Amino acid sequence: MDVDPGEVTEADLHWLRQAIELSRRCPPSTTAFSVGALIVDGGSAGNTVVADGWSRRDDPHEHAEESALARAGSETRLTTATIYSSLEPCSARASRSRTCTELILASGLRRVVFAWREPEIFVDCDGAERLRAAGVVVIEVPSLAPLVRKVNAHLASCRG
């Protein structure tokens, strides 16, 4: 029996927790969230990790989804993959010309799972809505958001 792509699965929870763990690798910043992202192919290859990334991995302005997508390269299998991100993909950025939402849409990814909606600390984000409007399946798992807030406790407004 096929699983509805809009339903949260045990595999989704597993991979999202892994993305949250990746966020712990982020170099500290008082002006940016610490975010982890993981691209997993759920197509005929099964649950295979395509790429991972985290904020500020190679560049102080790099976002987690951007990092993972760069490592995935021009993989054609992204149409059957899911990107797991600890934080909602950004839809506004001061440091780059393309947002993570735009990069995801350009990559061909058709499914996004994240834990925490981006709070209005740095920008007003509506990445989930933009992705859905473009036909991408977007799943929010708020039960894991406290783990993401804990990783981002260095930002005063994320504590608690």
Side-chain angles (χ1 to χ4, degrees), residues 6 8 11 13 16 19 46 49-50 56 59 65-67 70 77-78 81 90 98 107 112 141 144-147 149 151:
V8 178
L13 296 174
L16 188 51
V49 175
V50 174
R56 301 174 298 284
D59 175 302
E65 301 91 337
E66 175 183 27
S67 173
R77 61 185 165 170
L78 292 185
C90 72
R98 295 183 79 192
S107 75
V112 175
V141 185
L144 295 182
L147 298 175
R149 283 194 294 277
V151 172

Side-chain angles (χ1 to χ4, degrees), residues 3 10 12 40 51 63 102 116 119:
V3 175
E10 286 301 317
D12 289 333
V40 178
H63 285 196
E102 291 169 338
W116 189 29

Side-chain angles (χ1 to χ4, degrees), residues 132-160:
R132 282 188 185 109
V136 175
V137 174
V138 178
I139 299 171
E140 182 178 358
V141 185
S143 62
L144 295 182
L147 298 175
V148 183
R149 283 194 294 277
K150 185 175 180 180
V151 172
N152 286 283
H154 62 282
L155 301 170
S157 51
C158 296
R159 294 185 190 131

